[in-house]
Amino acid sequence: MASITMEHIVKQYGDGFPAVNDVSLDIDDGEFVILVGPSGCGKSTLLRMIVGLEDITSGELRIGDKVVNDKAPRDRDLAMVFQNYALYPHLTVYENIAFPLKLQKGQYPAEEVDSRVRRAAHLLELEEHLDRKPANLSGGQRQRVAMGRAIVRQAQAFLFDEPLSNLDAKLRGQMRTEIARLQRNLGITTVYVTHDQTEAMTLGDRVAVMRRGILQQVASPRGLYEQPLNLFVAGFIGSPPMNFLTGQVHGDVLRLPIVDVPLDERLRAAVGDRELVIVGIRPDDFEDAEVLAEDKRAGGVTFDASVDVTEWLGEVLYAYVPYEIHESVRAKLDELDRELEGEGMRSQLVVALESMSRIRDGDTAELWIDPAKIHVFDPESGDNLTRDEQRAAELEEDAINQRRRALERARLRAERDGARQPA
Ligand code: ATP
């Protein structure tokens, strides 16, 4: 296992287009990092440069303490798990897992191969399937065989390129949990590319969000969700996405299309001398005022909203509330929507309410928001003006401690298992 360090990595393809533009990122030994972003943002190119399938135009890539820019893929000692698993159909599960060891002829005695395959099969719960052929396995089992091949090599790191995109939604969910569990148990450095923000949020210790070749923010999932650096990250992370509205400063209030919010100290500092800002509110940060406890209600602002449509999903009720977008920020928000491959529905608010809310289609509902949860963005640069650096640092600290604890648990489990495993 090893750390992976990227310093000012650039990739220019033949036509001079910078697919990856000055990316610096330190991945810790044992860490699970997700590269995420919309199509074409450069995440696969970055992964392919780490693995050695793509030349690095400039910058330095280190695995452990070795610079590997000019090393061939096979000398980097990394294990890549592809989307299509690349299993050999005529070989059994056992032979598929053993394959990478047999490739390195003579290097491993037969007993060593056998013990490594059985250990990987044990970790992956594939023991009963060792004599079967890939065609007879489920998608999830095939994925585990592909990971088994990576495990037996005892590579320095795992690299995944959209490994779950071929699976249906249910299996994707299951495999997500399995990959997370395995990565924790093995404690192996992992880089995982996806365009799916749910995968990014649920799998990674840290998530690196890319846009047009440029790294926007690297943080824990909570860090990205609560303290996004800019409009792009705020809009990309979270489902349903953050609502963006125009905020006009009128004396002591910030006038949103839905409600006037008092400019408290935090909001005043964020707005500065701007007259117009973009305001972001997460769907979760709205409440149905009717079912809110009195003391909580007093801490926020309420407003009447004309609810167009509601969707009741059992655990949550979504309400859609149309509103007007100010012309001066329409172009900026339209551009963001295109980049995020949105559905062009930025002119309706998405509100996530508790499922017991009785709000229904066509109602005028009294909704509530807490001004402390509102994000304010600069309409030109898109910078998050309400970002709280101290809170952001605390969230990262928390995430690091959590990871340490998980790795420690995994180490203890491995020790216990090692004692139980047949040699
Ligand atoms: P996707 O999710 O669609 O795979 P991505 O974020 O992984 O996208 P990349 O495949 O890394 O993006 O591509 C980044 C940019 O580099 C894109 O604009 C793409 O058109 C360009 N690109 C990729 N491969 C090449 C190539 N071989 N030659 C020229 N340009 C390329």
Side-chain angles (χ1 to χ4, degrees):
M1 282 186 293
S3 59
I4 300 176
T5 310
M6 289 163 247
E7 273 179 20
H8 303 292
I9 297 282
V10 173
K11 175 68 190 185
Q12 270 178 320
Y13 282 110
D15 53 7
F17 179 77
V20 171
N21 202 346
D22 199 19
V23 166
S24 295
L25 177 60
D26 284 344
I27 301 174
D28 240 1
D29 193 355
E31 196 178 16
F32 197 155
V33 167
I34 312 284
L35 303 178
V36 73
S39 181
C41 71
K43 53 197 186 295
S44 301
T45 300
L46 189 56
L47 191 80
R48 291 167 62 80
M49 282 194 283
I50 298 173
V51 100
L53 296 172
E54 206 72 72
D55 289 338
I56 297 171
T57 309
S58 66
E60 191 170 275
L61 174 67
R62 293 195 298 277
I63 296 175
D65 50 11
K66 291 199 194 76
V67 177
V68 297
N69 285 44
D70 299 322
K71 280 202 174 175
R74 65 175 177 281
D75 298 327
R76 295 189 186 193
D77 202 11
L78 304 171
M80 180 110 172
V81 182
F82 290 97
Q83 196 182 87
N84 55 9
Y85 323 132
L87 300 179
Y88 295 102
H90 59 288
L91 300 182
T92 62
V93 167
Y94 184 103
E95 289 161 338
N96 263 290
I97 297 178
F99 196 81
L101 301 178
K102 300 225 161 123
L103 261 188
Q104 297 164 324
K105 273 222 162 16
Q107 200 181 335
Y108 299 102
E111 310 83 73
E112 172 73 14
V113 172
D114 189 61
S115 118
R116 285 200 193 186
V117 171
R118 290 192 187 279
R119 189 165 172 70
H122 171 72
L123 279 169
L124 295 160
E125 292 169 18
L126 282 171
E127 286 147 312
E128 358 161 0
H129 306 293
L130 284 172
D131 296 328
R132 303 176 72 192
K133 297 274 172 64
N136 303 329
L137 301 178
S138 71
Q141 289 163 338
R142 281 182 219 166
Q143 175 80 51
R144 278 185 268 156
V145 178
M147 288 172 73
R149 281 203 311 208
I151 292 172
V152 288
R153 283 181 42 205
Q154 299 179 344
Q156 303 272 24
F158 277 177
L159 305 178
F160 290 90
D161 192 357
E162 306 241 7
L164 308 183
S165 53
N166 281 346
L167 308 179
D168 65 50
K170 183 158 169 245
L171 195 52
R172 224 171 23 234
Q174 282 169 8
M175 285 310 297
R176 228 177 29 222
T177 330
E178 267 192 51
I179 291 178
R181 184 176 58 83
L182 262 170
Q183 199 275 342
R184 282 277 174 255
N185 286 349
L186 298 168
I188 188 163
T189 315
T190 302
V191 189
Y192 186 109
V193 162
T194 181
H195 65 272
D196 178 331
Q197 64 94 23
T198 312
E199 265 175 44
M201 296 294 274
T202 49
L203 280 173
D205 293 316
R206 281 191 304 158
V207 180
V209 184
M210 294 184 66
R211 173 201 196 190
R212 299 188 196 155
I214 296 173
L215 193 57
Q216 303 288 304
Q217 184 173 2
V218 192
S220 64
R222 269 173 197 268
L224 292 179
Y225 189 82
E226 266 191 43
Q227 302 292 334
L229 266 171
N230 59 33
L231 204 55
F232 180 82
V233 175
F236 189 77
I237 297 294
S239 174
M242 186 184 275
N243 297 292
F244 293 118
L245 312 119
T246 326
Q248 288 173 287
V249 179
H250 282 270
D252 287 339
V253 299
L254 185 58
R255 178 154 299 163
L256 311 185
I258 47 169
V259 65
D260 283 357
V261 177
L263 275 171
D264 58 15
E265 209 177 311
R266 181 185 85 106
L267 290 175
R268 173 72 71 191
V271 166
D273 53 10
R274 295 171 188 80
E275 287 174 359
L276 190 96
V277 288
I278 294 176
V279 168
I281 312 178
R282 295 246 177 240
D284 281 352
D285 289 334
F286 291 91
E287 305 274 0
D288 175 354
E290 197 172 302
V291 295
L292 206 61
E294 204 46 54
D295 52 337
K296 187 168 177 187
R297 186 185 164 112
V301 287
T302 52
F303 60 98
D304 283 337
S306 304
V307 174
D308 183 13
V309 175
T310 55
E311 290 171 349
W312 186 78
L313 298 182
E315 73 280 19
V316 63
L317 177 107
Y318 291 120
Y320 295 85
V321 179
Y323 67 90
E324 286 300 311
I325 289 189
H326 199 273
E327 274 313 311
S328 54
V329 294
R330 183 182 292 278
K332 180 91 184 165
L333 290 178
D334 280 351
E335 181 199 343
L336 181 69
D337 204 48
R338 271 195 305 279
E339 266 190 273
L340 297 174
E341 294 151 16
E343 292 153 18
M345 301 206 309
R346 291 272 172 211
S347 58
Q348 58 178 352
L349 209 62
V350 185
V351 172
L353 304 172
E354 285 191 35
S355 63
M356 66 205 190
S357 162
R358 289 206 302 267
I359 294 174
R360 297 290 178 266
D361 296 8
D363 283 353
T364 299
E366 193 182 20
L367 299 180
W368 175 94
I369 42 169
D370 177 358
K373 295 284 179 61
I374 288 177
H375 300 259
V376 173
F377 300 91
D378 184 283
E380 307 297 323
S381 66
D383 290 346
N384 182 356
L385 305 167
T386 32
R387 186 174 142 88
D388 179 343
E389 293 298 336
Q390 193 185 337
R391 171 79 185 139
E394 280 166 16
L395 286 170
E396 294 318 293
E397 183 79 33
D398 251 19
I400 290 170
N401 288 333
Q402 245 181 52
R403 181 164 75 86
R404 286 209 185 110
R405 282 200 298 274
L407 287 175
E408 182 56 19
R409 277 196 300 273
R411 197 184 57 76
L412 292 173
R413 219 172 10 243
E415 268 176 25
R416 262 200 327 265
D417 271 14
R420 249 187 259 142
Q421 266 279 290

